[in-house]
Amino acid sequence: MPTRRRSWAEPWKVKMVEPIKMTTREFREQALEEAGYNTFLLRSEDVYIDLLTDSGTSAMSDRQWAGMMLGDEAYAGSRNFYHLEETVRDVYGYRHLIPTHQGRAAEHMISQILIKDGDVVPGNMYFTTTRLHQELAGGRFLDVIIDEAHDPEVMHPFKGNVDLGKFQAVIDEYGADHVPYICIATSVNMCGGQPISLGNLREVSELAHRHGILVVHDMTRVAENALLIKEREEGYADVPMADIVRQICDLTDVATMSSKKDHLVNIGGFLAVNDPGIADKARNMVVIYEGLHTYGGMAGRDMEALAIGIRESIQHDHIHARVGQVHYLGHKVADQGIPIVQPIGTHGVFLDAKRFLPHLDQDLFPAQTLAAAIYADSGVRSMERGNVSAGRNPETGQNRRPHLELVRLTIPRRVYTQAHMDVVAESVMEVWDGREAITGLEFTYEPKYLRFFQARFKPVE
Ligand code: PLI
């Protein structure tokens, strides 16, 4: 009998370390001013604990590093491409693989291939780059996620679920001919890393296919979603992780993947499709924007590390520890009465800035302000996921003012310790105690696209 695992403790030990720097409050206030109060514009070396994102920030395993040494750097037909293709087929079942340098390149290609001018694309909440590529292709995103997803306080085990009534209403209003696909994210990022259930996905897939509508799967965090299906959905407790992941993929037709998340690599991604006609179009497009269809913007060694990372990503002990660490931090913060998105999701703890800073109007960007305040307090870097990220409505030019105004404390995989999580929680508590003195921010520079990345701000008087 194997020893029974008692906690979420990590199934690995540390073999190499990277020093990080502690700074003074005075230094950090200066750094913030220079960065225009945007945590994306801070220098990484001025950050103590970096919870900006879980994208490309994972620690690779010794096996992945060993794989890097096996890179076949031929321009065409690299051995590592075939290994990757075989792994994607075996683990996810998608028949054709078009590698890309990261997720948004796959979003670009599938949007250009499937969307016609005037089409609408329903989805279980927007993601920034995904929606922009749909719009650039002439489409319009329509949110069909359940209402509960927009309310950080409602407890629901599957806040990533689609409201089938909303999806049906889109089909009725626009006609299936103008709905090329529905975009289904697993572990929905913008509402807190919330999962979709297999039961709901099955119904979505059935409804879509009945109308000839494809299901495009944003599978960036599919393994994390699968863990919560195992833990929360009736009938899956004893189903192996790999089977749950495969069942999710089998209900969908196309997948876009940012391997910088689940797959534990620092760069990489792909488009995977079942239809050979779509695959041909994508292969023809990838050579324009990314590189040949057997590397798509990755080096051979990157593809090898990625193929190995795919197998590691679906190991239960790994994913259990990864999500366990997120929940450890979430409970620590919530137990102090600090408002966070409930239930705690998969890749981060999302602070509810509307309830944290209720004295700030949403156009004073409470989440952006809170992220800056946390950095000033401790050097912990987080990310705004609210009014700045949502951007402006292209028709009215107004800020979208989304229901969710969040600060994401995003946990990189296999990087930080439990003590680091304690420091993060202590800093959030410190800022909470001084919250009434915090004032908002206004733009000094606002880029046209994906403004959250490069915008600059100053504190309002
Ligand atoms: O950053 P990319 O281009 O590899 O992937 C884009 C992307 C697509 N879908 C989803 C759900 C994402 O989370 C995503 C990227 N996310 C980032 C960078 C993040 O910090 O969450």
Side-chain angles (χ1 to χ4, degrees):
M1 275 286 286
T3 311
R4 187 155 173 257
R5 287 175 61 81
R6 290 193 170 81
S7 83
W8 55 268
E10 294 87 352
W12 42 260
K13 57 185 176 177
V14 178
K15 178 141 69 178
M16 188 191 279
V17 297
E18 176 184 344
I20 49 179
K21 186 168 84 179
M22 277 196 250
T23 51
T24 61
R25 181 166 186 116
E26 196 185 6
F27 176 93
R28 293 190 293 271
E29 283 176 353
Q30 176 73 31
L32 259 182
E33 198 184 325
E34 283 168 17
Y37 297 86
N38 184 348
T39 51
F40 276 101
L41 301 180
L42 290 165
R43 287 170 185 247
S44 143
E45 62 182 6
D46 296 340
V47 171
Y48 176 38
I49 299 172
D50 201 348
L51 308 188
L52 182 73
T53 178
D54 63 330
S55 181
T57 53
S58 301
M60 293 207 295
S61 66
D62 51 1
R63 281 156 204 256
Q64 286 178 291
W65 278 108
M68 296 286 278
M69 292 294 160
L70 301 177
D72 170 1
E73 306 305 344
Y75 187 89
S78 162
R79 180 191 329 122
N80 314 113
F81 167 75
Y82 295 107
H83 181 203
L84 177 60
E85 184 184 54
E86 183 190 297
T87 307
V88 168
R89 273 191 195 139
D90 187 45
V91 173
Y92 302 124
Y94 299 117
R95 287 194 279 279
H96 304 280
L97 173 77
I98 295 91
T100 59
H101 78 288
Q102 61 183 80
R104 68 198 70 182
E107 294 172 345
H108 167 62
M109 289 194 291
I110 200 64
S111 302
Q112 293 292 333
I113 291 168
L114 295 180
I115 299 172
K116 302 184 303 298
D117 231 6
D119 280 352
V120 292
V121 183
N124 57 345
M125 198 167 270
Y126 87 100
F127 184 71
T128 52
T129 56
T130 322
R131 180 177 63 193
L132 179 58
H133 281 298
Q134 292 163 358
E135 289 172 355
L136 292 172
R140 189 151 57 89
F141 170 79
L142 295 174
D143 191 4
V144 295
I145 203 166
I146 56 171
D147 289 342
E148 287 87 339
H150 291 279
D151 185 339
E153 293 178 71
V154 175
M155 289 301 254
H156 186 295
F158 293 103
K159 277 182 160 180
N161 280 358
V162 169
D163 181 328
L164 293 159
K166 289 186 193 172
F167 181 24
Q168 182 69 59
V170 169
I171 299 170
D172 294 344
E173 184 174 346
Y174 297 92
D177 286 353
H178 293 288
V179 187
Y181 62 89
I182 179 167
C183 184
I184 296 297
T186 33
S187 191
V188 181
N189 193 352
M190 297 303 278
C191 62
Q194 302 292 333
I196 180 170
S197 70
L198 256 171
N200 182 254
L201 181 57
R202 209 166 282 124
E203 290 182 304
V204 169
S205 177
E206 215 176 278
L207 178 56
H209 291 152
R210 212 181 321 131
H211 289 89
I213 295 169
L214 295 172
V215 181
V216 174
H217 176 200
D218 180 344
M219 63 180 297
T220 296
R221 297 180 182 85
V222 64
E224 297 182 357
N225 194 119
L227 178 79
L228 295 189
I229 288 174
K230 191 174 172 69
E231 292 182 352
R232 296 179 185 173
E233 190 162 354
E234 215 184 308
Y236 292 94
D238 298 322
V239 181
M241 278 287 300
D243 291 5
I244 299 175
V245 166
R246 184 56 185 268
Q247 285 187 42
I248 294 171
C249 296
D250 283 349
L251 292 166
T252 69
D253 307 291
V254 175
T256 57
M257 182 65 179
S258 169
S259 295
K260 300 172 73 174
K261 284 80 164 176
D262 252 10
H263 292 162
L264 301 154
V265 288
N266 305 119
I267 194 72
F270 55 75
L271 177 67
V273 304
N274 289 330
D275 181 272
I278 298 174
D280 276 345
K281 285 184 185 161
R283 273 190 210 103
N284 199 215
M285 234 182 140
V286 78
V287 293
I288 310 173
Y289 295 104
E290 296 284 290
L292 195 70
H293 59 280
T294 56
Y295 73 86
M298 281 183 281
R301 53 181 172 269
D302 297 330
M303 291 190 281
E304 192 60 27
L306 169 46
I308 296 166
I310 289 175
R311 302 248 180 228
E312 292 181 4
S313 79
I314 54 170
Q315 286 170 9
H316 180 255
D317 279 1
H318 155 68
I319 204 80
H320 178 60
R322 186 277 185 284
V323 176
Q325 187 181 39
V326 172
H327 283 234
Y328 172 80
L329 175 63
H331 287 299
K332 221 168 160 112
V333 171
D335 287 352
Q336 298 301 313
I338 294 170
I340 64 169
V341 172
Q342 293 284 4
I344 302 164
T346 56
H347 62 301
V349 174
F350 291 64
L351 304 173
D352 182 355
K354 277 189 183 167
R355 281 184 291 153
F356 204 114
L357 300 173
H359 56 288
L360 296 189
D361 180 81
Q362 206 170 358
D363 280 348
L364 294 175
F365 308 119
Q368 188 78 29
T369 306
L370 180 54
I374 293 169
Y375 174 75
D377 178 70
S378 59
V380 171
R381 169 155 73 168
S382 56
M383 185 198 287
E384 189 265 7
R385 294 275 80 155
N387 205 9
V388 180
S389 292
R392 292 182 187 272
N393 179 324
E395 276 147 37
T396 66
Q398 298 299 306
N399 287 325
R400 283 191 168 101
R401 296 174 68 96
H403 286 292
L404 296 173
E405 180 71 26
L406 310 174
V407 170
R408 190 180 70 176
L409 300 161
T410 340
I411 317 297
R413 297 166 187 78
R414 308 193 291 208
V415 171
Y416 291 112
T417 66
Q418 194 161 337
H420 287 121
M421 296 301 110
D422 291 343
V423 171
V424 173
E426 286 158 14
S427 177
V428 172
M429 286 174 218
E430 188 80 25
V431 176
W432 173 250
D433 288 343
R435 64 193 180 280
E436 279 158 20
I438 296 175
T439 57
L441 294 170
E442 58 183 300
F443 279 114
T444 58
Y445 166 61
E446 184 183 352
K448 184 169 172 203
Y449 297 119
L450 303 174
R451 63 184 184 173
F452 57 96
F453 282 131
Q454 289 150 336
R456 303 183 72 84
F457 303 84
K458 67 175 172 109
V460 289
E461 298 300 322

